[in-house]
Amino acid sequence: MVVLVGLTAQHHSDLTRITAWWRGLGGDGFVALPPPTRSRYTQSDGHEDAAELFAARGIAEGASFAYWHWQSHAAFDRSGALTGPLYLHWGGDHATVAAGLGEGPPGYRLVSGGPQGAFQLDRVTERDADGLPDPRDEAGVRQFLDRIGTSRHHGSPAPLTGPEERWLHDRLASPVEVPRVAGFAAALELRKALTPDETSRLLAAWQEEYAGRLSAWPGWWPVLNALLRQEREEAWDMAAALGPAAAEILAEHPSPQALATLRAMALAGHDSAVPAWFHTYRTLHEPDPYQTARTLSDQLTDREPAQAALLTALRTAVTQDWRTAHPEADRSAAQAFSALTTVRFATDDRLPHPLRVAAARTAYDQVGHVREEAARLTGTGEAEVLAAADRYETARDGLLAGTGPDLTGREGGLCDIWHRYRTLSPADIRWLRDRLADPATGVQGIAFCLELLHTHGEAGETELLALLPRWKKELTKQYRTTYTEWRHPLVTLTCLAQDLAHPAADDLLAWWTKPKPLWKAPLRLLTHLGAPDETRAAELWEFTVSGGHDTGHLMTWVLLRARLDGTHPLHVAERLIGKPGIREYVLHRVLIGVADPAQPLWHYALDPRSHSWWQRAREVADDPRLSAGARAIGLKAASEHHVLRHPDQVRPPLTEGEVNEARAWLDARA
């Protein structure tokens, strides 16, 4: 007899059961999208998949739908078992989706997150009279730990009952299975309940099983915390081995040794340790947060990310002091005070210049909110706040001249400020060029800076020569730009070399035509935007109408065609409306994305949180040069933007005045 190992387990896995239930859903204006592949990675991808499916099946655009994406799919382990709730996202009418999903498959519980949230699907588990799960029931144990809390970032945990605490201690009895007990250790140490004996056993097992990768075990922080709480010497060896990951825990146990360790981390370039260093120094030596900030700033270099981290620590401390003095204040009042504090920091002579620069950058999008808050005050309060805003705006440009964002931060943060660079000042151009000339600038920074300089016509041979020595070793690596406003830097560099007719263009193009690495295949045709000709335009068009996955191809063709024809790309895109072979939702994105050819928006989809996409959608809707059909596309995109639907999700945050103006704009065109 042949035995197929794992077949029975897979047949009865959570994934199999949920998928079988899922494929039976649908009808009455509700569509369940097929289970995801890696290409559906975010909610934006889910909505794009829905648009494609609706177009293929002839389903009306207004239909409701549900799906999960690949990030949600991480709730399943390799065997198909649920390791956490499966988040089901949706679009359309919430009530229709809820009715379409029903109660979930047998043995599972479906919980609605409300009209603004996702549905959660999880297993139904059993508990005993004390509310405790069977230790062998992994889903039940997980849900129990979620209920009592295992995160040190969610406030003070509720006390454990006697049976709960005994149950947790039993889980840590010898022998310790380190990969399975992190949650038990965290739940106990949150209540300062790990015993010295438990700490020793966990430490020994952790060091043995995770040698060389100590921070890979989620249970490291309760063990380190217990070691510090119990004043054991082993704590310092573990802190040194963990590095900056241990900073927050060290700050919770201030001591001269903790201070020295944190200072060394910060001065070594670990910016994440700066707030912990600030907190510990203030606790031990200097109650005045301003004096602490001055002392630490003088020891740090002028490296902007480090000063920004110190500014965050200072602002947090000042705001916390204010909240202590005003216990009746709500969260909104605290946020308003924090914004005003940042604005004041920029012109506060008590702070050194690097911190005032960091404050000027942080307050850039907060000063409008401060002015709105001032209007709600009366008497001298309003005048003082407005005076602070006036001082800030007078000093801001001087403080920020020759500076820029942190190019090593999250790329979403760089997308959030893309609209600030729609025009480039001479200081912007100098800063961008300096970053490209700096060997320390990484791939993301190169992509950001080169895209801005090139599309604004400010990139030249100097920038090309600065990057050519780096392209083979650094720029030939995969770098995903699906959700950015810039292209892969090697695409942009190749376009620049071709536009300059530089000899290096031949080497770059030869690399793109090689079959490997495979990641570059979808991007090769994007290089046709450099020195375009009719042959390249034809090749790009052939792919565009072939139905292949669009990663910027239609936008590239529109920009290329506009260059060849000497016309605005909006008119090129407009002529494609209704043309066979052109996917409607891609064309709509392109039409809005090319509204300003000096700064095209390369994001894979209309970004509903972005100032840039909101501005371009409005411009398309109001452009008298365009047809009624093209303007309607812009108006529809604008009406679906979060500026109008979920203004709190727009980044940087909008003022009430901006939201009201946006609504008035739409009402006038309803």
Side-chain angles (χ1 to χ4, degrees), residues 182-217:
F184 309 139
L188 285 168
E189 186 55 23
L190 278 175
R191 285 91 176 171
K192 300 180 181 179
L194 272 182
T195 67
D197 183 55
E198 288 169 338
T199 304
S200 295
R201 289 203 307 274
L202 287 167
L203 174 61
W206 171 32
Q207 289 176 305
E208 179 180 352
E209 189 147 350
Y210 287 85
R213 53 188 188 101
L214 292 175
S215 62
W217 181 47

Side-chain angles (χ1 to χ4, degrees), residues 651-670:
R651 294 293 180 269
L654 298 163
T655 64
E656 287 186 19
E658 290 171 326
V659 174
N660 292 337
E661 189 275 333
R663 288 171 176 160
W665 176 86
L666 184 64
D667 289 344
R669 289 154 183 77

Side-chain angles (χ1 to χ4, degrees), residues 381-433:
E382 178 183 11
E384 290 175 359
V385 172
L386 291 176
D390 290 341
R391 289 194 301 272
Y392 168 79
E393 291 181 336
T394 300
R396 180 182 62 194
D397 290 346
L399 287 167
L400 295 181
T403 70
D406 177 10
L407 297 175
T408 64
R410 65 180 186 88
E411 62 185 21
L414 293 175
C415 288
D416 289 345
I417 61 170
W418 195 249
H419 62 285
R420 297 185 195 170
Y421 292 93
R422 192 160 180 184
T423 59
L424 299 181
S425 69
D428 289 333
I429 294 171
R430 286 195 300 273
W431 184 84
L432 292 166
R433 286 174 172 165

Side-chain angles (χ1 to χ4, degrees), residues 489-566:
L490 197 54
V491 171
T492 315
L493 188 68
T494 304
C495 290
L496 174 61
Q498 294 177 93
D499 287 338
L500 296 174
H502 193 277
D506 293 336
D507 291 337
L508 289 163
L509 291 172
W511 181 84
W512 282 105
T513 58
K514 293 178 181 178
K516 291 184 178 180
L518 297 177
W519 66 261
K520 69 181 179 179
L523 303 183
R524 181 185 68 84
L525 294 177
L526 306 189
T527 64
H528 285 5
L529 188 55
D533 58 33
E534 293 295 344
T535 300
R536 291 179 174 181
E539 183 185 6
L540 186 55
W541 177 256
E542 182 179 358
F543 176 85
T544 299
V545 297
S546 70
H549 185 58
D550 189 296
T551 56
H553 297 88
L554 181 58
M555 175 168 281
T556 302
W557 186 87
V558 167
L559 293 169
L560 182 157
R561 191 73 260 167
R563 288 185 66 179
L564 290 176
D565 297 345

Side-chain angles (χ1 to χ4, degrees), residues 209-410:
E209 189 147 350
Y210 287 85
R213 53 188 188 101
L214 292 175
S215 62
W217 181 47
W220 68 262
W221 74 261
V223 176
L224 178 61
N225 196 78
L227 290 170
L228 290 164
R229 179 172 57 83
Q230 297 162 13
E231 299 182 349
R232 294 170 57 167
E233 282 300 315
E234 302 101 308
W236 305 109
D237 291 335
M238 303 314 296
L242 287 163
E248 285 188 24
I249 303 297
L250 291 174
E252 293 172 8
H253 301 269
S255 69
Q257 192 164 0
L259 180 63
T261 302
L262 290 167
R263 179 180 182 274
M265 290 178 183
L267 298 186
H270 299 298
D271 301 332
S272 60
V274 170
W277 182 30
F278 174 93
H279 175 79
T280 305
Y281 186 93
R282 187 185 179 201
T283 301
L284 296 177
H285 295 297
E286 180 53 71
D288 180 6
Y290 291 89
Q291 181 58 50
T292 295
R294 284 197 300 272
T295 301
L296 270 57
S297 179
D298 290 344
Q299 296 179 62
L300 290 168
T301 64
D302 286 344
R303 202 165 50 84
E304 294 168 0
Q307 297 289 343
L310 181 56
L311 175 78
T312 299
L314 173 62
R315 183 179 65 232
T316 300
V318 172
T319 303
Q320 286 176 342
D321 289 350
W322 180 85
R323 295 202 73 166
T324 300
H326 300 81
E328 76 288 351
D330 59 15
R331 183 169 179 268
S332 177
Q335 289 176 331
F337 176 81
S338 179
L340 173 60
T341 298
T342 307
V343 168
R344 285 172 167 164
F345 281 166
T347 57
D348 193 326
D349 291 336
R350 291 176 294 175
L351 298 179
H353 182 74
L355 278 179
R356 284 185 279 125
V357 170
R361 182 177 300 110
T362 303
Y364 195 101
D365 297 298
Q366 297 181 352
V367 67
H369 297 272
V370 168
R371 288 190 177 279
E372 281 191 344
E373 286 296 323
R376 299 185 177 95
L377 302 173
T378 57
T380 58
E382 178 183 11
E384 290 175 359
V385 172
L386 291 176
D390 290 341
R391 289 194 301 272
Y392 168 79
E393 291 181 336
T394 300
R396 180 182 62 194
D397 290 346
L399 287 167
L400 295 181
T403 70
D406 177 10
L407 297 175
T408 64
R410 65 180 186 88

Side-chain angles (χ1 to χ4, degrees), residues 14 18 75 81-87 105 107-111 120-128 130-151 160 164 167-168 180 183-184 187 191:
D14 293 314
I18 290 171
L82 271 178
T83 61
L86 176 65
Y87 286 86
Y108 297 83
R109 178 174 55 252
L110 187 68
V111 178
Q120 296 182 44
L121 184 68
D122 204 349
R123 291 183 61 182
V124 174
T125 59
E126 295 183 0
R127 302 175 187 172
D128 65 16
D130 292 317
L132 300 170
D134 184 327
R136 295 166 297 181
D137 181 357
E138 293 184 3
V141 170
R142 168 176 52 79
Q143 292 170 4
F144 167 67
L145 292 174
D146 288 344
R147 178 172 62 81
I148 64 173
T150 60
S151 172
L160 298 172
E164 287 173 343
W167 188 93
L168 289 168
R180 302 172 63 89
F184 309 139
R191 285 91 176 171

